[in-house]
Amino acid sequence: MNRKFIVLEILAILAFASQTHADWIKGIFSEEAGIDSLERFLVVRDIDSCRVLGEPIVPLGDINGDSCSDVLLVRSEGRCFEPNPSFLFYGGRPPDSIYNGQYGNFWIMTANIGDINGDGYDDIGNFRCLPNHVEICYGSEVLTDIAEDTVQDIYTEFTRAADMDNDGCLELPLSTNVNGGPVDIFQIDSTGVLTPVEYVIFDTSRSFGGNLATGDFNGDGNPDLAVAAFLGRDSSFVKFYWGGPGFDTIPDFEIWRKAENFGSRMLPLGDFNGDGYEDIFIDGGVADGWSIPGGIFFGGPYIDNTLDIVTNRFTYGGYFNSTSAAVAGDVNHDGYPDLVIGVDFDPGSLYEMKIFLGGPEADSIPDVYLESGLITHRQMNLGSVVAGVGDFNGDGIDDFAGRSRTTSGCCWWGEVNFFAGWDSDASDVGYEFEPTYPKAFDLKQNYPNPFNLSTTIEFDLPRHSHARLVVYSLLGERITTLLDRDLPAGLHRVTWAGADSSGHTVASGVYFYRVVTDAYSQTRKMVLMK
């Protein structure tokens, strides 16, 4: 290596490192989030101006063995046939913006496809064009962009490999063309090499295979395959193929919408709502010039085409569909996976990131809302790409990231913002429901009362209602909101452990609890004694 190259390399490293900083973001947060600010612990700025950094943001897991997750940031040069420099960043305690590897062969359609060769490291699927082909790069403690396996004449998005036919070998589905064409399912041998095509799903619909997702969506213990077709269609759909020993290429279940682009973003969420079944995110589309809602469909034996959680923001112009979406990991550390969504609507200067927290009380209200205008030094395109990056800062809690760019001067710089997850105490509020049919609304006296460690509050609802249960101090100050959502008719039971909305234990004294619905309200008194 000559001296000039060494100097340039050092300058590049310093350019990345000079952008490291941490700050706290005052976004908009729900009661369930339990926080009033969010730590942005790292901003990585590109070493060159007018370049898009972080398209995509690829989580790698812990490849260097330091118990912190690592990430690959791909730079997009804007055209398929141009090289796209990519940069590897190791996580740390804390991490910094000095890159730990630079590569020239990763491209904008690059993704983590899971550990297909069984060596303990996640592997990378990498699409390259001219000619169209897929490269498989094995993960290792020393990441390389050298292709270990290649599949020709493929133009595909990626999903994680899974054993869909229960034969002990993983399969990897690949679209022959995201603009429409068969989906080829390759079997993977024990060394991680793709064998000849095992299954072919034929469908002549335009853009069939434009998105793929694997997960156990019907809850039978076998991973399934979901395939979307959405581009330029009056009717878009997602077809599901149930996994198991009888796996075949005939769709077993379908979700249709009279709209274009339904399914343009799709991803498996794991058990988002905590009912023991894996769920799936499918974005909305456009019908008659208006956006239609998209979001989360709950999986299980009775999966249907009902949208269970709407994740689009509704305005006078309709629903804003997401620009990007990703599983954030468990960012509030409560044992349930969470969803991060980005919206980049440049004509309206709308740049935002939202977190929907998973769990039994998951709903259509975002728990974390970050808009570029709420962040110091307003950024454009915030949320154009989002990703869960695992425990990148080494505090034991999953983190997430979002792409943006600066707006100052004639030249701009691409940036990737890293946000820290937080620790919430989900055990503070216990909730139970009994499907009785009471004749009247009734807020019962808490028990025990007085109480020391915790107390139980019960109330009857004679019909389906939106109910809000709030605890107040003797001075009328709100302490915490225990429930704020739609509830069915019946007996509802809530346990309060004597903590405020931030999780801090409150002092001994007299408190009031109040239930308000659209038709009823009632308040009672309780006493905390320590």
Side-chain angles (χ1 to χ4, degrees), residues 130-141:
L130 299 179
N132 294 342
H133 66 281
V134 162
E135 297 178 345
I136 305 297
C137 301
Y138 295 155
S140 69
E141 59 185 5

Side-chain angles (χ1 to χ4, degrees), residues 230-236 256-261 286-288:
F230 54 83
L231 182 61
R233 297 176 52 83
D234 293 333
S235 293
S236 303
W256 287 74
R257 290 293 184 270
K258 282 285 188 181
E260 296 181 6
N261 298 322
V286 178
D288 298 325

Side-chain angles (χ1 to χ4, degrees), residues 308-329:
D308 294 288
I309 293 181
V310 177
T311 57
N312 310 80
R313 182 155 73 91
F314 183 78
T315 69
Y316 66 90
Y319 291 90
F320 278 99
N321 290 320
S322 67
T323 304
S324 60
V327 179

Side-chain angles (χ1 to χ4, degrees), residues 376-407:
T376 305
H377 307 301
R378 177 180 171 88
Q379 297 168 306
M380 294 184 66
N381 306 123
L382 178 71
S384 51
V385 173
V386 295
V389 294
D391 182 16
F392 193 67
N393 65 352
D395 65 354
I397 302 174
D398 290 336
D399 310 310
F400 65 99
R403 198 194 82 193
S404 67
R405 67 179 178 91
T406 63
T407 60

